[in-house]
Amino acid sequence: MSSPTIMITRTPSGALLSPRSLAARLRQAVAAFAADLLAAQRLGRERDQLAELSDAALKDVGLTRADVWAERRKPLWRR
């Protein structure tokens, strides 16, 4: 019967990472990814709401229909 293999992971500086530390980093990465997804979703909704404004309302905030079109065409990762 073979013993379980323990994976040794190093940081860019060469320090060893324990499995617990590795799990903590993974949790942080997943949480950051989820936060980015929520921010992208919120930004998409805001861009949609901006497009629904009347020309008069856009003029009140200093925007044109072309500004709104340019904003909506941006990918969600560009803010």
Side-chain angles (χ1 to χ4, degrees), residues 29-58:
V30 169
F33 181 71
D36 287 345
L37 281 178
L38 289 173
Q41 184 181 34
R42 183 174 47 250
L43 181 60
R45 270 195 318 268
E46 290 172 1
R47 288 177 177 172
D48 289 343
Q49 290 171 345
L50 188 63
E52 292 173 2
L53 292 177
S54 68
D55 289 336
L58 289 174

Side-chain angles (χ1 to χ4, degrees), residues 2-74:
S2 64
S3 61
T5 304
I6 297 175
M7 184 179 204
I8 298 175
T9 307
R10 295 183 180 270
T11 64
S13 65
L16 291 176
L17 284 176
S18 70
R20 181 173 286 153
S21 176
L22 206 52
R25 284 184 177 214
L26 180 60
R27 278 193 303 276
Q28 289 172 346
V30 169
F33 181 71
D36 287 345
L37 281 178
L38 289 173
Q41 184 181 34
R42 183 174 47 250
L43 181 60
R45 270 195 318 268
E46 290 172 1
R47 288 177 177 172
D48 289 343
Q49 290 171 345
L50 188 63
E52 292 173 2
L53 292 177
S54 68
D55 289 336
L58 289 174
K59 185 178 178 183
D60 286 345
V61 294
L63 296 174
T64 65
R65 197 55 63 190
D67 295 330
V68 173
W69 176 249
E71 187 65 29
R72 286 193 83 192
R73 291 189 65 222
K74 286 183 187 176

